[in-house]
Amino acid sequence: MNIHLLEMPLDFGASRHGSDMGPSAIRLAGIKERLESLGHTISNHSDIFSVSPQEYEQVGNPKAKYLEPITKACTKLAERVEKICTDGEFPLILGGDHSIALGSIAGVSSFAKKNNKKIGVLYVDAHGDFNTAETSPTGNIHGECLAACAGLGLKELTNLYYEGRKIDPKDICFVGCRDLDPGEKKLMKEAGVTVFTMSDIERQGFPAIVKQVTVFCKTHADYIHVSFDMDVLDPMFAPGTGIPLPGGLTNREALLLMEEMAATKKVISAEIVEVNPILDVRNQTAALAVSLASRLLGETLY
């Protein structure tokens, strides 16, 4: 399979700087070589998305900060993702903060609609990213991106790339949540998304959760987009993230989840976001991101 590495050095959606260097860190950790060792060919798009430094842009709407540069960059990403999927190849997007999901999900959704197929999203994240401008305590778009994809929030976000919602909320599955704002929690419950929190994982055990996730993916959609935020992992394993929180997934659990998702044969695109080299230790978070991508794209232990 030909895999397109789309480097998206966008960190306008978050408060903490540094995730714009995430794609470079993942590249330096050897993602190209690792995926080539699995028999894939690699096309790199590191020169496609030129993003101005945040300091040179205007904040704009305080309830949706840096709206204009984010929508501009994500529209361009959506175009590229749809083209890659149309060509029967695999887009692997390297962030950047999680606001890039606006572009990746829009692109995959547009491809699916034109082929009369249904798209589902596996959202592996400590956070819900399901706020709107009205509920967000920060105004950071990385916390509003998935709600916008589901048709909730500002029209500039919900209508990005094409008018209307990009995914039915009932086709969204969360894994690893452990920090939800009150407003977004209410919206998630009303929208009918499926959520497996860290408390669910503790109660049921991770293998049981993985089985339910794979059943969800097999029954809810023709295609699956995997959106993986590195802050879902415990900081013991991934210190280099924008919002590190204790009590997250272990590296073994995350690798197993990616391996099981590969086995569904339904994943047609993916993104890995929120690698922040400034906060990392010997690039270990970026190295783990490489391992996660490799498992999702066919690597097995034996």
Side-chain angles (χ1 to χ4, degrees):
M1 176 166 56
N2 189 36
I3 298 170
H4 292 253
L5 294 179
L6 299 168
E7 297 190 16
M8 195 71 176
L10 186 73
D11 73 344
F12 288 86
S15 295
R16 181 172 284 177
H17 287 326
S19 62
D20 58 324
M21 295 183 282
S24 296
I26 297 172
R27 180 171 9 99
L28 291 171
I31 191 166
K32 178 177 181 289
E33 295 78 9
R34 185 82 163 266
L35 295 178
E36 285 177 336
S37 74
L38 301 175
H40 300 299
T41 56
I42 305 299
S43 296
N44 183 259
H45 298 260
S46 59
D47 61 336
I48 297 295
F49 304 105
S50 57
V51 180
S52 301
Q54 191 179 115
E55 291 77 14
Y56 293 95
E57 296 285 353
Q58 297 298 315
V59 173
N61 185 350
K63 293 185 176 181
K65 299 172 183 174
Y66 301 103
L67 180 63
E68 184 177 346
I70 288 174
T71 54
K72 181 180 178 181
C74 287
T75 297
K76 194 172 183 181
L77 174 61
E79 293 172 352
R80 183 51 58 98
V81 167
E82 181 179 5
K83 172 67 164 57
I84 293 168
C85 290
T86 300
D87 292 341
E89 300 179 337
F90 192 98
L92 176 58
I93 306 103
L94 309 178
D97 69 61
H98 220 153
S99 65
I100 68 172
L102 288 160
S104 56
I105 293 174
V108 177
S109 174
S110 181
F111 164 74
K113 283 181 180 294
K114 290 176 181 177
N115 288 276
N116 296 312
K117 298 293 185 180
K118 190 177 182 183
I119 185 72
V121 171
L122 176 65
Y123 211 77
V124 191
D125 197 335
H127 309 91
D129 296 350
F130 220 79
N131 278 298
T132 64
E134 286 71 36
T135 66
S136 174
T138 64
N140 292 330
I141 289 179
H142 75 156
E144 303 175 17
C145 56
L146 191 56
C149 291
L152 304 173
L154 297 174
K155 291 195 178 298
E156 293 92 333
L157 299 178
T158 60
N159 292 332
L160 187 139
Y161 193 49
Y162 70 86
E163 188 172 344
R165 74 180 185 185
K166 309 307 182 285
I167 183 166
D168 187 330
K170 293 180 174 58
D171 297 323
I172 298 172
C173 181
F174 288 90
V175 175
C177 294
R178 60 189 187 278
D179 184 20
L180 301 175
D181 298 316
E184 72 176 337
K185 189 187 298 186
K186 184 174 183 290
L187 287 174
M188 290 164 72
K189 289 180 177 179
E190 292 173 349
V193 299
T194 295
V195 181
F196 296 104
T197 67
M198 289 306 302
S199 294
D200 295 321
I201 291 169
E202 287 297 312
R203 291 189 188 102
Q204 300 181 41
F206 197 66
I209 296 296
V210 170
K211 286 182 181 179
Q212 294 175 70
V213 171
T214 55
V215 169
F216 179 96
C217 292
K218 290 176 181 177
T219 57
H220 277 72
D222 300 299
Y223 302 136
I224 296 293
H225 171 74
V226 174
S227 189
F228 196 104
D229 190 319
M230 295 299 288
D231 71 20
V232 77
L233 292 148
D234 193 277
M236 179 186 303
F237 306 101
T241 64
I243 310 177
L245 293 169
L249 294 180
T250 68
N251 54 355
R252 292 187 302 171
E253 290 168 337
L255 291 167
L256 172 63
L257 178 60
M258 292 299 96
E259 195 169 325
E260 291 299 307
M261 288 306 300
T264 67
K265 306 295 184 185
K266 288 200 170 190
V267 179
I268 66 163
S269 58
E271 64 203 345
I272 298 178
V273 302
E274 301 285 1
V275 171
N276 190 328
I278 294 175
L279 304 173
D280 209 1
V281 179
R282 297 187 298 276
N283 215 31
Q284 71 181 75
T285 304
L288 181 51
V290 171
S291 294
L292 290 165
S294 300
R295 292 290 181 94
L296 184 62
L297 290 161
E299 184 179 78
T300 59
L301 291 178
Y302 185 72

